[in-house]
Amino acid sequence: MRVLVIEDERKLAAAIARGLVEEGFAVDAAYNGVNGLWKATSEPYDAILLDIMLPGLSGYEVLKRLRAADVWTPVLMLTAKDGEYDEADALDLGADDYLSKPFSYVVLVAHLRALLRRGAPARPAVLAAGDLTLDPARRLCHRAGEEITLTAREFALLEFLLRHADEVVSKSDILTHVWDEHYDGDTNIVEVYVGYLRRKIDTPYGRRTIETLRGAGYRLLGTGADAAGAGAAGADAGD
Ligand code: CA
């Protein structure tokens, strides 16, 4: 098993490498983000240990670019509690696991072994309904092969609807999952955003994939979405 350690504190990088070598791993090290990204994209690693606060490119940015380059090597992020980023950010960004510094060596190896056992990940599924696709890891949305630009909120709303395709979701379900718990404004905000989404993913393509079920909520048509397009005979394109 070959592991890449991207860590700018050389002493720490050396200590990690020494320990992992003793455990039978092959270890390479990089001491800044640019070099780390280059190694991670050009060599086949089984896992990457990635520090967040790095010169050149932050670990954050390295991870984003790795995933954008379609490299799905499992990443164990090393986070500092007092740092600019935290665990939640690391996981949001597509890290497979994280460890807070300072960590014990035993814990590091345990996490690493667990990660390797899980094997090559964890490429998050691309969500799809007919020819509409949403790639949460790469933050991309396409309809009929065309890229659609969504705001963060529109993206989150569409992701929620796609994860519940063909189910009826109420406005309050949507509010709970797409807006944070502190939002206490008008629930009509959901309607407004569904309208924005329709104008981006449906209207220009002659589709009606987001149904309004009066008094109940919304339903995004999943597998039958293409058939429900404007050109179809439309038994279920109503509402
Ligand atoms: Ca650092």
Side-chain angles (χ1 to χ4, degrees):
M1 292 293 193
R2 191 168 171 199
V3 177
L4 175 64
V5 179
I6 309 176
E7 166 63 74
D8 60 312
E9 291 162 57
R10 288 188 184 239
K11 272 187 179 165
L12 180 57
I16 292 173
R18 205 163 42 240
L20 292 180
V21 166
E22 272 167 30
E23 297 279 332
F25 291 98
V27 183
D28 293 340
Y31 307 108
N32 64 61
V34 177
N35 191 241
L37 178 63
W38 181 77
K39 282 189 170 163
T41 47
S42 53
E43 301 286 329
Y45 291 103
D46 297 294
I48 298 169
L49 299 188
L50 179 58
D51 184 32
I52 292 186
M53 303 300 254
L54 289 168
L57 278 178
S58 72
Y60 227 40
E61 196 59 34
V62 169
L63 180 55
K64 213 161 90 186
R65 295 191 191 189
L66 268 183
R67 296 319 190 209
D70 238 345
V71 174
W72 299 95
T73 312
V75 168
L76 175 59
M77 211 109 192
L78 307 177
T79 65
K81 273 269 183 234
D82 56 349
E84 192 178 337
Y85 305 110
D86 63 18
E87 293 82 357
D89 290 326
L91 294 181
D92 266 0
L93 217 85
D96 300 275
D97 195 4
Y98 65 85
L99 263 188
S100 301
K101 292 180 186 177
F103 47 80
S104 86
Y105 184 70
V106 176
V107 171
L108 169 66
V109 171
H111 278 249
L112 193 54
R113 290 214 183 280
L115 204 57
L116 291 167
R117 262 200 309 277
R118 268 189 266 154
R123 158 151 207 186
V126 174
L127 301 164
D131 62 359
L132 175 72
T133 61
L134 192 78
D135 185 339
R138 292 200 268 176
R139 313 300 294 172
L140 291 175
C141 176
H142 289 89
R143 164 74 91 189
E146 260 176 56
E147 187 170 346
I148 299 174
T149 306
L150 300 176
T151 64
R153 188 76 74 186
E154 291 163 354
F155 196 99
L157 174 59
L158 182 56
E159 181 175 354
F160 184 72
L161 291 172
L162 279 165
R163 290 195 187 280
H164 297 273
D166 295 318
E167 293 170 28
V168 179
V169 289
S170 69
K171 277 188 195 173
S172 69
D173 288 337
I174 294 173
L175 269 182
T176 308
H177 288 95
V178 179
W179 275 263
D180 70 44
E181 58 184 333
H182 304 297
Y183 180 81
D184 55 3
D186 198 333
T187 58
N188 284 333
I189 190 81
V190 174
E191 230 169 280
V192 171
Y193 272 85
V194 167
Y196 292 158
L197 260 190
R198 282 182 172 134
R199 285 202 285 281
K200 289 188 175 178
I201 66 161
D202 277 351
T203 316
Y205 303 89
R207 312 295 172 84
R208 297 184 65 176
T209 46
I210 306 177
E211 295 180 314
T212 303
L213 297 118
R214 282 186 209 298
Y218 300 95
R219 177 167 55 204
L220 185 137
L221 299 174
T223 44
D226 284 336
D236 54 354
D239 278 61

